[in-house]
Amino acid sequence: MAQTIELEIFRYRPEQESEPTLQSYEVPYNEEWVVLDAINYIKDEIDGTLSYRWSCRMGVCGSCGMMVNGVPRLTCAAFLKEYYPRKILVEPLDGFPVERDLVTDMDMFVAKLTSVSPWIIRNEGEEKPLEEGTYLQSPGELAEYKHYSMCINCMLCYAACPVFALDTNFLGPAAIAIGQRYNMDSRDQGRDQRQEVIASHDGIWHCTLVGECSTVCPKDVDPAGAIQRAKLSSTTDYFKDLLMPWGRRT
Amino acid sequence: MAKSNEPIFWSLFSAGGMIAALVLPTLMVITGLVIPHGFAPLDALSYERVHAVVSGSIVVKLVLFGVIALPFFHWAHRFKFTLVDVGLRKISLLLAVLCYGSAIAGTVFTAVVLWRI
C-alpha cells in the first residue's frame, strides 16, 4: 500500500458550528509535496467544503500562510518530508479573527499597512514632471531599502509576534518594515508623515525585540531590524525636537 | 496620534545595555581572572587605591556615574516590559512608575554617594 500522512485541520463553519473543531484527513505521502499540495488534495479528492487561501504556489503571493504544527509557515514552502511520519496540524494564522476554516480576516492588517502610507510621497510641488524622466537611484541607495521591499504581506510575522498576540493595537512587524522601506528610499519625502504613525505609542514602541518576526519571515525582510532602526531614528528626532524646537523638520 | 515619550526611556535603556555589555565582561576579566590569578598586583583594587582614584577626579566620578546609573534604566525598562508581557498589561502605568522610579532613586543615590567620596 502507498504511504500516507495524516493532516489534522482546523475547521470552523460559523453557519453550522459555534466552536472550531479539528478534522483528520489521510492523504498520500509524496516526498515532493508541500503542505499546500496535501491541502489541495483534500479539497479536490476528499472534502470540497474545506476553505483556505492560496494562489501562486511559489512563495511570491503571500496568501497561503498558516500555522503548521504551531509555527507560522507558507504552506507552499513547508514540505511534507519535514514532518513525515508524524501527523501535521494545520491551523489558521495566530492573532487574526477566523472567518472560516483556514481563512482569516485580514482587514486589521490591511488597515495597519495603509496607515503607514506605503507608497512614494513627494512634497507639494516637488513632483518631477513626466517629461523629465524617472528619479535616478544609485545601487547604494537601492541597497538601503531593497530587502524591506521583498515583503509579500504574508502576515507570518504577525502570527509569530508575541507582542501583537497580547495587544492587537501594535502596528506590527510588516507594516513598520514596509514604512521603513519607503522612509529609506532616496526618492521618498514622506517620512515625517509616516512618523505620526510609526513613532506613536502603538507604533514601534510596543516592540520588545523578541525577533520572532525575522525568524519566520520567508523573504528575509528582517522586520525586527527595521523596527530597531526606526527606534533609533525616532529617538534622534525626539531629542532634536526637544533641544532644537526651532529646527523643526518640514 | 499621540506623540510618545518612549524615546527618553528607550535611549536610557539602550545606553544602559551598551554600558552593561561593554563594562561587565571587562569587570569579570579584571576581578575574576587578572587579579586573582596574579596577572596584576593583588592590591591593584585595594580600597585605598580605588578611593584615591575616585575621590581625586571629577572625570572618574562622571564615568562611574554613567556606568552605574544607566544600567538601572536598562533593568527598569526590560523588567517593566517583561512584567507587562507576562500579563500585567492592565497595571503598566503603575509598573512604569515603580520601575523607572526605582531607577531614578538609584541614580540619585549614586550621585550622592559619588559626590561624598
Side-chain angles (χ1 to χ4, degrees), chain B residues 15-72:
Chain B
M18 177 80 92
I19 294 283
L22 289 174
V23 173
L24 269 183
T26 316
L27 281 179
M28 284 176 189
V29 169
I30 294 173
T31 59
L33 293 172
V34 173
I35 297 192
H37 287 86
F39 298 118
L42 264 182
D43 65 348
L45 285 183
S46 69
Y47 173 80
E48 291 75 18
R49 195 153 179 261
V50 173
H51 188 272
V53 170
V54 176
S55 61
S57 163
I58 186 73
V59 177
V60 173
K61 284 185 180 185
L62 281 174
V63 169
L64 273 182
F65 177 70
V67 165
I68 296 168
L70 288 171
F72 284 147

Side-chain angles (χ1 to χ4, degrees), chain A residues 163 166-167 196-197 199-202 205-210 228 231-232 234-235 238-239 241-242, chain B residues 1-14 77-78 80-82 84-87 89:
Chain A
V163 177
L166 290 169
D167 187 351
E196 292 286 315
V197 178
S200 72
H201 186 67
D202 285 333
W205 300 115
H206 276 308
C207 169
T208 49
L209 193 57
V210 178
Q228 282 304 96
K231 279 182 180 173
L232 189 60
S234 303
T235 300
Y238 182 89
F239 284 108
D241 283 355
L242 200 67
Chain B
M1 263 177 230
K3 192 173 164 173
S4 179
N5 286 322
E6 204 69 32
I8 297 176
F9 301 108
W10 186 78
S11 52
L12 288 168
F13 162 77
S14 305
H77 192 75
R78 180 53 78 203
K80 182 210 142 192
F81 272 95
T82 303
V84 166
D85 285 351
V86 297
R89 187 162 294 262

Side-chain angles (χ1 to χ4, degrees), chain A residues 100-143:
Chain A
R100 181 182 187 84
D101 295 341
L102 300 166
V103 177
T104 55
D105 180 354
M106 296 161 57
D107 288 357
M108 186 163 50
F109 170 69
V110 175
K112 289 177 191 302
L113 184 60
T114 319
S115 74
V116 300
S117 309
W119 51 81
I120 286 179
I121 297 170
R122 298 290 296 177
N123 287 339
E124 199 75 25
E126 291 187 35
E127 184 76 63
K128 218 156 92 161
L130 272 182
E131 56 272 19
E132 283 183 30
T134 52
Y135 293 95
L136 295 180
Q137 203 163 47
S138 71
E141 287 168 336
L142 175 67

Side-chain angles (χ1 to χ4, degrees), chain A residues 36-37 40 52-66 74-76:
Chain A
L36 181 61
D37 291 321
N40 280 339
Y52 55 102
R53 284 198 186 98
W54 69 290
S55 178
C56 79
R57 234 179 20 77
M58 48 202 267
V60 174
C61 75
S63 312
C64 70
M66 299 170 202
L74 290 183
T75 49
C76 69

Side-chain angles (χ1 to χ4, degrees), chain A residues 176-237:
Chain A
I176 298 172
I178 293 166
Q180 277 295 89
R181 176 252 172 273
Y182 288 95
N183 284 342
M184 309 302 286
D185 191 321
S186 58
R187 300 164 296 181
D188 181 83
Q189 299 174 319
R191 181 166 175 272
D192 282 359
Q193 186 179 321
R194 283 183 208 102
Q195 282 297 88
E196 292 286 315
V197 178
I198 290 180
S200 72
H201 186 67
D202 285 333
I204 44 181
W205 300 115
H206 276 308
C207 169
T208 49
L209 193 57
V210 178
E212 279 300 298
C213 50
S214 295
T215 306
V216 301
C217 178
K219 306 305 267 186
D220 295 327
V221 170
D222 190 15
I227 296 174
Q228 282 304 96
R229 288 181 75 169
K231 279 182 180 173
L232 189 60
S233 54
S234 303
T235 300
T236 313
D237 285 356

